[in-house]
């Protein structure tokens, strides 16, 4: 069911033409900052992959990929990607990149089962990135060091936009705060995961929440993660589990926590086995991607995705992601947005 939040007294700070120009500025500036900060080479990427190989992102395991038969391949089924989480690891391995170097690309996806609201669209556009790492880098301190580099890119982009549009004042704190999902659950046991995020991000302004997908102290999970890309099960040596997380910022327009990026150190052969067992799907080990990972032929990597339209929505102080991307929305949502002065592209 589509949900819509209408912020009181909302007025867009930029008109449609200014918005379109600003989107180009943000995308060009941020991807250059990201690629130089993380030593990433731009590559081309697929819009669809062949079904049955285990390459597509399964998200929470219940979302249906858009699929279609191909006449010249004997009606073999292809499916639109949900993300490139696993494809990127294959690419880094095939390119034989050295630790400390990686790739990034424009990822375009269709998520037909998405619940539509101010932040969620049928159309997903991200910078997907992946970098080769050493075994010694599979630690929380290394994860934090990469997050801090990405956060510096966000800070520079925020100033870049403010320098050109004075009405858009900077709000990001100087530093990002690192928290653990299990600690938040202990601190706010009676709140939902989203409510916990709101409490934390309202307080700190920008948070990287570590440990998304693994079991919390009460047996629940903070948010769903597929078992075959991020490592959310490995013990970190400080009483926690998980080598992944979400980068969240406080949205001053909607007055809530807003996820800009999800990232993590990827599964090792052992953590893949453990996560497949915990999720009750050990049969996935027979898929091509998983076989290659388990036999050690894939590089150790970390990676993630950074929402392009979300980033633009945040920096341009928009109330709806449809103000920074063209997608399809329910007629009722379009009508309500129009009445509230929210101009969907």
């Amino acid at each position: 069911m589509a949900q819509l939040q209408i912020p009181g007294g909302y007025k867009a700070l930029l008109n449609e033409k200014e918005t379109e120009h600003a989107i180009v500025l943000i995308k060009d500036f941020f991807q250059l900052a990201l690629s130089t900060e993380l030593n990433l080479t731009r590559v081309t990427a697929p819009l669809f992959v062949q079904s049955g190989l285990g390459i597509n992102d399964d998200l929470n395991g219940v979302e249906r990929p858009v699929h279609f038969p191909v006449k010249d391949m004997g009606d073999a089924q292809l499916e639109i990607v949900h993300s490139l989480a696993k494809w990127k690891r294959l690419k880094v391995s095939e390119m034989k990149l050295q630790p400390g170097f990686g790739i990034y690309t424009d990822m375009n996806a269709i998520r037909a089962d998405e619940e539509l609201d101010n932040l969620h669209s049928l159309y997903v556009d991200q910078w997907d990135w992946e970098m080769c790492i050493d075994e010694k880098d599979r630690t929380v301190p290394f994860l934090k060091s990469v997050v801090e580099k990405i956060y510096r890119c966000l800070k520079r982009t925020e100033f870049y936009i403010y320098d050109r549009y004075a009405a858009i004042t900077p709000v990001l704190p100087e530093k990002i705060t690192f928290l653990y999902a299990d600690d938040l659950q202990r601190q706010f046991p009676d709140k939902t995961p989203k409510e916990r995020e709101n409490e934390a991000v309202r307080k700190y302004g920008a948070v990287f929440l570590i440990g998304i997908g693994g079991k919390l102290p009460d047996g629940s999970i903070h948010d769903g993660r597929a078992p075959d890309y991020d490592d959310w099960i490995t013990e970190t040596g400080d009483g926690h589990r998980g080598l992944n997380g979400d980068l969240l910022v406080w949205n001053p327009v909607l007055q809530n926590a807003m996820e800009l990026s999800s990232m993590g150190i990827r599964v090792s052969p052992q953590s893949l086995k453990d996560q497949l067992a915990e999720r009750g799907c050990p049969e996935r080990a027979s898929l091509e991607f998983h076989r290659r990972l388990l036999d050690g032929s894939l590089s150790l990597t970390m990676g993630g995705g950074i929402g392009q339209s979300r980033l633009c929505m945040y920096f341009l102080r928009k109330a709806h992601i449809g103000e920074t991307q063209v997608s399809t929305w329910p007629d009722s949502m379009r009508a309500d947005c129009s009445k509230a002065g929210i101009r969907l592209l």
Side-chain angles (χ1 to χ4, degrees):
M1 179 66 69
Q3 301 290 327
L4 178 65
Q5 180 182 348
I6 302 291
Y10 173 73
K11 181 175 175 55
L13 298 179
L14 304 181
N15 63 34
E16 185 172 342
K17 185 176 181 180
E18 291 171 329
T19 296
E20 294 283 13
H21 287 166
I23 289 172
V24 175
L25 292 176
I26 291 172
K27 290 186 176 183
D28 287 348
F29 184 90
F30 182 82
Q31 69 180 343
L32 180 60
L34 180 71
S35 65
T36 53
E37 191 73 61
L38 297 185
N39 299 324
L40 305 177
T41 298
R42 185 180 177 89
V43 300
T44 56
L47 176 61
F48 42 80
V49 294
Q50 190 165 347
S51 302
L53 301 181
I55 297 175
N56 203 356
D57 180 356
D58 294 302
L59 300 176
N60 293 305
V62 297
E63 295 87 348
R64 301 166 298 173
V66 177
H67 59 88
F68 57 94
V70 179
K71 183 178 67 174
D72 278 1
M73 295 175 61
D75 280 345
Q77 289 288 320
L78 301 187
E79 55 190 45
I80 306 292
V81 297
H82 279 146
S83 86
L84 299 172
K86 289 179 280 186
W87 177 88
K88 293 177 297 179
R89 188 167 185 177
L90 292 170
K91 186 70 173 179
V92 167
S93 301
E94 290 166 0
M95 293 177 69
K96 301 185 185 306
L97 297 181
Q98 296 300 305
F101 297 88
I103 60 173
Y104 81 99
T105 191
D106 283 317
M107 189 283 295
N108 296 289
I110 300 173
R111 297 182 182 174
D113 287 339
E114 196 71 83
E115 295 184 4
L116 307 181
D117 57 24
N118 298 67
L119 298 178
H120 295 89
S121 169
L122 298 174
Y123 169 61
V124 180
D125 56 341
Q126 294 182 169
W127 289 287
D128 261 14
W129 62 274
E130 199 84 7
M131 62 188 295
C132 183
I133 62 173
D134 276 320
E135 176 66 38
K136 65 179 176 57
D137 297 326
R138 301 190 76 257
T139 65
V140 168
F142 185 80
L143 173 65
K144 288 181 177 180
S145 71
V146 175
V147 171
E148 288 170 340
K149 290 179 180 180
I150 293 173
Y151 190 68
R152 287 200 291 268
C153 296
L154 294 175
K155 288 282 292 178
R156 292 203 294 270
T157 305
E158 183 180 52
F159 171 75
Y160 178 74
I161 292 302
Y162 169 62
D163 201 35
R164 284 149 183 79
Y165 303 99
I168 303 176
T169 55
V171 295
L172 286 174
E174 190 62 30
K175 300 290 185 181
I176 189 167
T177 299
F178 293 94
L179 301 173
Y180 287 92
D182 54 359
D183 285 341
L184 269 192
Q185 194 275 327
R186 293 186 187 96
Q187 186 176 357
F188 303 106
D190 298 326
K191 294 186 181 296
T192 68
K194 292 304 177 187
E195 289 170 341
R196 293 173 208 151
E197 289 178 359
N198 285 336
E199 292 288 343
V201 184
R202 181 186 293 109
K203 178 178 180 180
Y204 295 108
V207 167
F208 188 77
L209 189 60
I210 303 172
I212 307 294
K215 288 184 179 179
L216 300 175
D218 65 352
S220 67
I221 61 174
H222 183 84
D223 198 6
R225 284 294 185 277
D228 42 18
Y229 54 95
D230 278 355
D231 187 328
W232 40 255
I233 203 168
T234 292
E235 295 184 2
T236 59
D238 53 3
H240 302 284
R241 291 199 310 171
L243 297 171
N244 72 334
D246 288 345
L247 196 161
L248 308 162
V249 296
W250 184 252
N251 186 317
V253 177
L254 299 177
Q255 290 290 295
N256 58 20
M258 180 181 187
E259 178 193 323
L260 293 182
S261 178
S262 173
M263 71 189 81
I265 292 169
R266 307 309 197 185
V267 287
S268 65
Q270 185 58 54
S271 58
L272 174 63
K273 291 178 185 177
D274 294 342
Q275 291 183 180
L276 291 177
E278 183 162 311
R279 286 292 163 84
C281 52
E283 70 282 356
R284 287 196 195 178
S286 65
L287 297 173
E288 180 178 330
F289 172 84
H290 302 70
R291 289 201 311 269
R292 293 182 62 182
L293 199 159
L294 290 170
D295 70 18
S297 62
L298 298 186
S299 302
L300 294 176
T301 64
M302 75 168 296
I306 302 168
Q308 295 187 14
S309 293
R310 280 201 186 188
L311 206 67
C312 294
M313 174 188 170
Y314 174 75
F315 283 129
L316 301 181
R317 308 295 184 246
K318 300 293 188 179
H320 196 288
I321 197 169
E323 294 177 273
T324 55
Q325 66 160 233
V326 178
S327 187
T328 299
W329 308 98
D331 290 341
S332 59
M333 182 178 286
R334 281 197 169 274
D336 290 342
C337 284
S338 180
K339 291 176 186 175
I342 299 173
R343 173 75 172 86
L344 301 183
L345 300 180

